[in-house]
Amino acid sequence: MNGYDVVIGLEVHAQLLTESKVFCGCSTRSGLAPNTSTCPVCMGMPGALPVLNRKMVDYGIRLGLAVGSRIARTCIFARKNYFYPDLPKGYQITQYESPLCEGGSIDVETKEGVKKIGIIRIHMEEDAGKTIHDETAPYSYVDYNRAGVPLLEIVSEPGMTDTDQAVAYLRELRQILMYLGICDGSMEEGSLRCDANVSVKKEGSSRYGTRTELKNMNSFRNVQKALEFEIERHIQILESGGRVEQETMLWNPSKGVTVSMRSKEESHDYRYFPEPDLVPLRIDDAWIEDVRSTLPELPAERRARFRKRYGLPAYDTGVLTQSRELADYYEACVGMLDAPKEISNWIMTEVMRALNEQGISITDFKVMPEMLTGLIAMIGRGRISGSMAKEIFAEMASTGRSAEEIVSSRGVGQISDEETLKTVASRIIDANPDEARKYRSGKTGLLGFFVGQVMKATQGEANPKLASRIVKELLEE
Amino acid sequence: MLETARRYRKRKESPVEETRRLLDAIKRDTLNSFITIDEQGALLSARSAEDLLDREDAGVLAGIPVAVKDNICTCGVRTTCASEILADFVPAYDATVVKKLKDQGAVILGKTNLDEFAMGSTTTTSCFGPTRNPWDPSRTPGGSSGGSAAAVAAMLCAGALGSDTGGSIRMPASFCGITGLKPTYGSVSRYGLVAFASSLDQIGPMAATARDAAVLFDAIKGHDPLDSTSALHDYAPTDLEGIDLRGVRIGVPKDFFGPGLNPDVKSAVLSGIAELADMGAQVVDIRLPHVRYGVAVYYIVATAEASSNLARYDGVRYGMRSGESGGLRNMYLQTRSKGFGAEVKRRIMLGTYALSAGYYDAYYRKASQVRTLIADDFRAAFSLCDIIAGPTTPVTAFRLDEMVDDPLSIYLLDIYTIPANLAGLPALSIPCGFDSRGLPVGMQLMAPHFREDLLLGAGIAFQDRTGHHKVRP
């Protein structure tokens, strides 16, 4: 970029979908009244001790296996010491020297093709509470419901060379987490949080520039914009002969700028040391294999299979596999009706539009797979036209009624759709040129023959009066 | 304790009578051994114990009045750690050991004094004032479980719980002429023990006799799912008949008899070892070459853990809060400056330093490595002997006005007790004689992990032959 190379690494925190917190039995549910999902352990009361929720380890191993990490056989928890009101114990239980997973990578689609972005480590830790500032009061509130909710921190290598790659990596990671069923992936609600380390260097140079850390980017858009802003800021500093300071920057989404949060000198000394209240965690082969056996098909695998098996273009597979549930929906449809491309088209357009309009996910969609394939089959049989099908679909999406029901309630089981009948009738006229010629030369008695053929082609479902009029019009035009 | 249980069953005394008598005695106590008396709770427990005894459905602890060190959480009864910062803290839950005692019908009379957050060896750093030694009120009872030790020695309770991080049960037991057991690390749940140094802390029994200590130990030991460092060891009940010492190898480490050991203490301990030999034990010389680094290692590991464990006292959720009008930073500073005493602050600073970037390898990591070497010393020694015997402390109880204002000389009082904490071993202190002033001397016995049966068994056998433990102040 303008004579500079960009280096980006991401640190992603994924809140895990366990039922209970990582070191106590409190519920992880969000949206509860403040401080109601707390106990002596997650409140850091004197004398309370942590007990590890092994489900978190399962989930961590699941992600590690999905991205090809080495799973540690012995992993150790550590204390990260710092003072903040939302941190009940004055330290966070995390991992430092021996994390759960090391190594691995994620394949990311870039303009230049597929690129492997390396993973340095994945470790387990507990979340802090939430500080709520009341601007009108001289004090703040703290809600500890989130304190102790399990997190995985996924640290990438500084392997991304532009902002598109960073966003693509983040999207792919999010998709993997969601496919694995271990994180809901919501950046807006903070269950997926992304910090970035970014630096620039002279094009082709092997020496890294000074990096800054970016925080507070709670959407893909913000990640992209914040990184773009920060890269531009670095380049401008260097261009004007200045030096980039190593510091932590906060993205201000409303102003569209990054502002310094703390310099390197002000950075915390976290005084990490092994957590003496927890024993080293031993992970044996049986445990790992147990988790491996529960791994679902991952997004990249599913995309490849969709291309191969259903002959879909890359664009379609991308859209259809964006969530496991949508991909499952597609496959359920294909299982009932062998029309992979037609079904794909319907899902990518009408289904997606309806989901957006209703603001729901596919799992809450009223149109079940068999209902969608029922509709598409009716078009294939010529019973309804494409445009009528769209109308019927809209009604299906809002009422949850089947295409059959809607069509029969409208036309008492008869095809009364002019366009459909027109198509059928022209086909029949084209197929019987002699009769058509005879009719046009005066043998109008042949009308009955043509109407009969239309009735036959529609298995008797055409409205005979309408069919008769349409055939007449077509023959006489 | 066993005697009280017998009297209850012979109907010579009832739990309510006994509890009332002791509550009155505690109220008259001039030693300052208790911080909080739980009169209501104690009488309530005593009454339900009477019901159990009437129905002949009572365990040995039913109605037995005990005291609990005030760094062990008691539901609804304030737990102060002898610190301003927790002076009004009332836990919403019982420590596992307290729950176990209650479940077995014990009567908890109240909470005993200690050095602030159990940091000390004299019970003088308590914000509730020092505890005095029942043998001579001008002297220290030792610490940090000095309140429990004094209460047992002054017969204000039948037994007590203490906690031992570097000698805090054994040292005051020795100074007050009672029996105190520091169990194997992991054998007694730490859930509800306000942490000082998590990898060293262990709750244990303090009582007039090894037999009573064994009864209390049996009541509190065992795995606790709430404590991840709790061991899954399958303990048998302790044999209260004691063990036959014939053929038992007693290792005597030269390293525990070096300079700094008071001659009176030395001769009392040597006569105690001679008594064991008379009983048929075989005395062998052993070496523990790395224990001389024990105090240095301890003051890095323990202070490092303490600096982190005590971070939660920030004035935000419970305990003292000060300076809140001056912003968050000011609140932290004021709360912690006013709430903690000098010794606690000293240890927080030492520990913070030892964990700091650039010093971690030189201090904490090195200390952890030496800790392993000390554990290895013991492993090697226990291939040559079954029990290690030596002094519990280098001196006997000293006068409070003789106390020098030199933390280092106080730290050295724990020179013989610290190694067992570093290695996680069980260790027992039993009375073995008196110095020239008539003050009690303690002998320390150590055994391999989970071999409390050897220690208590030897202690019971020793006390069946000797009378040191029967001499009362």
Side-chain angles (χ1 to χ4, degrees), chain B residues 71-406:
Chain B
N71 61 347
I72 299 172
C73 286
T74 40
C75 185
V77 177
R78 76 172 176 168
T79 299
T80 69
C81 292
S83 178
E84 294 278 5
I85 213 158
L86 287 178
D88 299 317
F89 175 67
V90 179
Y93 59 101
D94 275 328
T96 298
V97 288
V98 169
K99 190 173 181 303
K100 286 190 169 192
L101 288 182
K102 285 183 178 173
D103 288 350
Q104 290 167 70
V107 173
I108 296 172
L109 298 167
K111 308 296 292 288
T112 55
N113 204 2
L114 65 153
D115 283 294
E116 184 180 3
F117 280 102
M119 295 177 185
S121 311
T122 53
T123 315
T124 55
T125 66
S126 165
C127 75
F128 298 96
T131 294
R132 294 172 179 278
N133 192 317
W135 293 82
D136 175 354
S138 69
R139 292 175 189 269
T140 172
S144 65
S145 311
S148 288
V152 170
M155 295 187 284
L156 299 173
C157 57
L161 295 185
S163 72
D164 190 314
T165 307
S168 281
I169 286 175
R170 293 158 286 162
M171 201 256 181
S174 157
F175 275 22
C176 291
I178 64 163
T179 300
L181 172 71
K182 194 292 278 188
T184 306
Y185 185 79
S187 63
V188 176
S189 168
R190 290 188 298 115
Y191 190 82
L193 169 65
V194 180
F196 158 17
S198 317
S199 75
L200 302 160
D201 295 342
Q202 193 63 196
I203 295 172
M206 304 172 81
T209 66
R211 233 178 227 109
D212 286 352
V215 171
L216 259 187
F217 176 61
D218 283 359
I220 59 173
K221 71 188 180 187
H223 179 70
D224 179 9
L226 297 178
D227 174 0
S228 308
T229 62
S230 161
L232 283 160
H233 186 74
D234 195 12
Y235 271 110
T238 310
D239 182 356
L240 297 181
E241 293 304 307
I243 59 167
D244 185 349
L245 277 159
R246 278 175 299 178
V248 172
R249 297 166 301 167
I250 305 285
V252 179
K254 282 198 176 61
D255 317 79
F256 280 9
F257 291 85
L261 178 61
N262 174 293
D264 285 3
V265 173
K266 185 174 177 176
S267 67
V269 171
L270 288 177
S271 71
I273 292 170
E275 185 68 39
L276 293 170
D278 271 1
M279 295 162 72
Q282 181 195 342
V283 176
V284 294
D285 284 340
I286 57 155
R287 294 304 306 263
L288 298 166
H290 294 97
V291 296
R292 61 199 180 105
Y293 304 114
V295 173
V297 167
Y298 175 81
Y299 275 94
I300 290 168
V301 173
T303 59
E305 292 180 10
S307 73
S308 176
N309 281 331
L310 271 62
R312 66 187 62 192
Y313 309 110
D314 56 5
V316 175
R317 291 165 308 282
Y318 48 77
M320 189 179 128
R321 176 189 291 176
S322 181
E324 58 186 316
S325 58
L328 179 64
R329 200 183 155 79
N330 188 59
M331 183 179 95
Y332 283 158
L333 282 171
Q334 295 293 321
T335 301
R336 292 171 66 82
S337 298
K338 290 181 185 162
F340 291 134
E343 182 60 28
V344 171
K345 284 181 201 161
R346 179 165 24 246
R347 296 197 192 195
I348 290 174
M349 284 188 279
L350 280 171
T352 303
Y353 181 81
L355 289 175
S356 296
Y359 298 100
Y360 181 85
D361 286 341
Y363 294 107
Y364 191 83
R365 197 185 300 278
K366 182 65 78 184
S368 304
Q369 287 163 348
V370 179
R371 186 176 179 180
T372 308
L373 294 178
I374 291 172
D376 288 345
D377 277 3
F378 279 106
R379 208 165 295 130
F382 284 124
S383 67
L384 303 171
C385 66
D386 306 301
I387 295 173
I388 294 172
T392 306
T393 56
V395 294
T396 52
F398 46 87
R399 292 173 61 92
L400 288 166
D401 57 10
E402 278 173 5
M403 255 181 73
V404 276
D405 190 21
D406 171 17

Side-chain angles (χ1 to χ4, degrees), chain A residues 148-287:
Chain A
V149 168
L151 299 176
L152 288 180
E153 179 172 333
I154 304 109
V155 183
S156 83
E157 281 176 5
M160 288 150 276
T161 53
D162 62 43
T163 57
D164 288 345
Q165 284 178 21
V167 172
Y169 163 84
L170 188 58
R171 281 192 193 283
E172 189 67 27
L173 173 57
R174 174 175 180 266
Q175 208 177 31
I176 293 170
L177 287 164
M178 292 172 70
Y179 262 64
L180 295 172
I182 63 177
C183 174
D184 72 18
S186 167
M187 291 190 73
E188 287 69 26
E189 279 164 37
S191 35
L192 191 72
R193 287 165 242 163
C194 175
D195 299 338
N197 284 299
V198 58
S199 66
V200 301
K201 60 184 167 90
K202 275 275 176 217
E203 204 171 316
S205 165
S206 58
R207 275 188 52 192
Y208 285 119
T210 306
R211 67 186 156 87
T212 54
E213 189 182 352
L214 276 176
K215 286 184 177 290
N216 196 38
M217 304 170 288
N218 60 355
S219 68
F220 289 105
R221 215 173 120 75
N222 278 319
V223 170
Q224 180 120 28
K225 284 168 74 179
L227 280 169
E228 277 164 5
F229 180 90
E230 191 63 8
I231 290 164
E232 193 50 40
R233 193 180 71 86
H234 282 214
I235 292 175
Q236 274 180 18
I237 291 172
L238 296 175
E239 284 293 298
S240 59
R243 268 180 39 198
V244 174
E245 295 296 326
Q246 185 177 338
E247 54 191 339
T248 302
M249 310 293 293
L250 217 55
W251 170 244
N252 181 329
S254 54
K255 293 196 177 130
V257 295
T258 61
V259 282
S260 176
M261 186 174 131
R262 57 172 176 255
S263 70
K264 191 188 176 191
E265 285 70 37
E266 294 165 308
S267 76
H268 295 295
D269 176 358
Y270 290 120
R271 290 172 283 121
Y272 287 98
F273 75 104
E275 163 59 291
D277 285 332
L278 293 167
V279 290
L281 176 69
R282 314 274 175 208
I283 300 169
D284 57 13
D285 287 344
W287 192 350

Side-chain angles (χ1 to χ4, degrees), chain A residues 15-32:
Chain A
Q15 214 175 64
L16 298 181
L17 291 168
T18 54
E19 295 276 314
S20 54
K21 293 186 180 182
V22 54
F23 297 121
C24 62
C26 290
S27 166
T28 56
R29 254 176 60 204
S30 61
L32 299 172

